[in-house]
């Protein structure tokens, strides 16, 4: 089996070809960061136009690098949601056109399922497992029961973790994307200089909250002498913020491990995935939490945590193996929760 995967839901245009054994035959990722940087965040219209300009050539390169002809493909998978709908449509229409012209199955992949199943591709993790999905748009704890079967244990009631990183980075003048910039600035900073809150710490349940932490960083910055923040102030604020966010997130995970175990006695792995899973401080803290709880901890390589097409091809392959192919009139979805039965979280907008 050989699957082509396309990813266009946010600010990365990506195409990958993988085989049935899960070997990556090719992977091309084109970041749009320089196009959005002047605006301090992602501009949906620019993102959609850029995907449209680059996707065809990127797909052709991925096919050439893999040394695979279209007739050799067993299926073509594309992120069909959730995400910025203009970009999602570009990927979905391209995949449908390839599927239609070459008479191969089309696989509509939920971007979040791409992140969720990555650990099965990289580490062969068995179902069920506990997943911390932390990205720019989402922050959830899920029991991954099977392909297409998820139980949401908790979610953010306001901002997503990546959103908090991005907003605080903007506040500190560190630019976009915020996560890597905060992590770099925090390296030289004093994480104990500012006494920031740990939202939800010690509370029952598995929900998150980050908007109060963001406000506390703003207040701490405003409490400093007027004028531009010094490099040291920025580093100390970044380090204090990162430490507080990691502390709050790991506390929620420690509670979720207990909840998960009570529900799924056979599960013994915590997986972290999504762009924020690239954060070294978060990875180390989660490893410690898992050690303390006697859980196995799996964090995919950083390049497969941030948005990529390998994860879409892999999720497509898992679905194809189960016969879960989609019709060519499948509609792209701006919103597509993994657990449709979970109650919407108050204040979280589309992040539930
Ligand atoms: O999964 P992703 O690439 O795109 C979405 O599906 O949202 O996640 C992007 C998010 C951004 O908010 C970015 O700032 C954050 O992941 N991020 C990080 C790091 N690298 C990316 N956050 C913290 N530390 C990092 N090293
Ligand atoms: Zn993502």
């Amino acid at each position: 089996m050989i699957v082509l995967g396309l990813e266009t839901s946010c600010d990365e245009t990506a195409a990958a070809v993988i085989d049935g054994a899960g070997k990556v035959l090719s992977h091309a990722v084109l970041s749009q960061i320089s196009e959005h940087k002047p605006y301090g965040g992602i501009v949906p219209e620019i993102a959609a136009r850029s995907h449209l300009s680059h996707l065809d050539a990127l797909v052709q390169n991925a096919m050439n690098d893999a040394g695979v002809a279209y007739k050799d493909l067993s299926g073509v998978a594309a992120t069909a949601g959730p995400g910025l709908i203009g970009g999602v449509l570009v990927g979905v229409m391209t995949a449908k056109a390839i599927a239609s012209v070459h008479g191969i199955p089309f696989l509509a992949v939920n971007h979040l399922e791409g992140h969720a199943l990555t650990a099965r591709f990289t580490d062969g993790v068995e179902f069920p497992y506990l997943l911390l999905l932390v990205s720019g748009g989402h922050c959830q704890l899920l029991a991954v029961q099977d392909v297409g079967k998820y139980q949401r244990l908790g979610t953010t009631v306001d901002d997503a973790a990546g959103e908090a990183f991005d907003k605080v980075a903007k506040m500190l003048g560190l630019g976009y994307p915020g996560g890597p910039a905060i992590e770099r600035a925090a390296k030289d900073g004093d994480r104990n200089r500012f006494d920031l809150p740990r939202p939800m710490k010690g509370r029952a349940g598995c929900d998150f909250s980050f908007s109060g932490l963001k406000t506390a960083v703003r207040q701490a910055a405003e409490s400093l002498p007027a004028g531009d923040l010094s490099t040291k102030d920025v580093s100390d604020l970044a380090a204090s913020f990162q430490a507080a966010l990691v502390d709050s997130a790991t506390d929620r995970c420690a509670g979720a491990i207990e909840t998960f175990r009570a529900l799924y006695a056979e599960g013994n792995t915590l997986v972290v995935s999504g762009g924020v899973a690239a954060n070294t401080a978060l990875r180390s803290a989660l490893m410690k939490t898992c050690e303390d709880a006697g859980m196995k901890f799996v964090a995919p390589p950083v390049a497969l945590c941030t948005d990529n097409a390998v994860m879409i091809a892999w999720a497509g392959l898992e679905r194809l193996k189960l016969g879960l192919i989609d019709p060519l009139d499948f509609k792209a979805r701006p919103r597509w929760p993994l657990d449709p039965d979970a109650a919407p979280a108050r204040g979280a907008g589309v992040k539930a």
Side-chain angles (χ1 to χ4, degrees), residues 4 22 142 147 155 157 311:
L4 167 68
L142 297 140
V147 174
T155 186
V157 298
M311 69 180 192

Side-chain angles (χ1 to χ4, degrees), residues 1 19 66 209 231-232 281 301 321:
M1 277 185 162
D19 71 12
S209 166
T231 309
K232 166 127 185 62
K321 283 180 179 167

Side-chain angles (χ1 to χ4, degrees), residues 191-224:
R191 47 174 287 172
N192 297 315
R193 174 162 163 208
F194 298 96
D195 185 18
L196 299 174
R198 269 65 176 155
M200 306 293 249
K201 190 168 177 177
R203 287 242 208 126
C206 304
D207 285 342
F208 301 84
S209 166
F210 297 115
S211 108
L213 173 57
K214 180 188 64 189
T215 308
V217 176
R218 176 175 297 117
Q219 285 165 346
E222 285 168 0
S223 72
L224 296 170

Side-chain angles (χ1 to χ4, degrees), residues 7 9-10 111-112 115 133 135-138 274-275 305-308 311:
E7 162 57 36
S9 67
C10 198
H111 178 85
L112 304 175
H115 282 305
L133 176 55
S135 69
H138 296 85
C305 285
T306 49
D307 286 350
N308 65 87
M311 69 180 192

Side-chain angles (χ1 to χ4, degrees), residues 9-12 111 115 134-138 161-163 165-166 177-180 183 242 274-280 305-307:
S9 67
C10 198
D11 60 342
E12 259 99 22
H111 178 85
H115 282 305
V134 268
S135 69
H138 296 85
E163 193 178 358
F165 269 101
D166 293 337
E183 182 163 17
Q242 182 175 268
V276 184
N279 187 277
T280 315
C305 285
T306 49
D307 286 350

